[in-house]
Amino acid sequence: MKKALLGLAFIATLMTSCKKETKDEVKEATEAVGNEMGEAMDTAAVKVDAAVDSTKVKAGETLERGAEKMDEAAEKLKEAGKK
């Protein structure tokens, strides 16, 4: 009878300590996932900013080329009007 009670007490102690360890592991895993998500979001934000900057530069270049073509067309019209 004593052995059975000691065995049950031992098992109860193991289960209690396992629960604590499991909770700690879950907490650590949750924190790790949270950190990784934060880092991923920061990386994505940097990539989005770079893409926006690149798009702005490309749009500016396209507008400049369009303005140059408009100036050329205006010059041609002026020359044609003089003749």
Side-chain angles (χ1 to χ4, degrees):
M1 187 75 164
K2 289 182 183 181
K3 289 182 183 181
L5 290 176
L6 287 175
L8 288 175
F10 181 72
I11 291 173
T13 304
L14 284 177
M15 291 180 71
T16 304
S17 65
C18 289
K19 287 181 184 177
K20 194 175 218 178
E21 289 176 11
T22 303
K23 288 179 183 177
D24 291 341
E25 289 175 6
V26 168
K27 184 178 178 182
E28 289 174 10
T30 302
E31 289 174 0
V33 169
N35 290 338
E36 288 180 18
M37 289 297 292
E39 290 173 6
M41 289 177 69
D42 291 342
T43 301
V46 168
K47 288 181 180 179
V48 167
D49 287 343
V52 167
D53 290 342
S54 175
T55 302
K56 285 180 182 177
V57 169
K58 289 178 183 176
E61 291 172 355
T62 302
L63 288 172
E64 286 176 9
R65 279 187 259 136
E68 288 173 5
K69 288 182 180 180
M70 292 293 288
D71 289 341
E72 290 173 7
E75 287 296 320
K76 287 181 183 178
L77 284 173
K78 284 182 186 178
E79 289 177 14
K82 289 181 183 178
K83 291 182 181 179

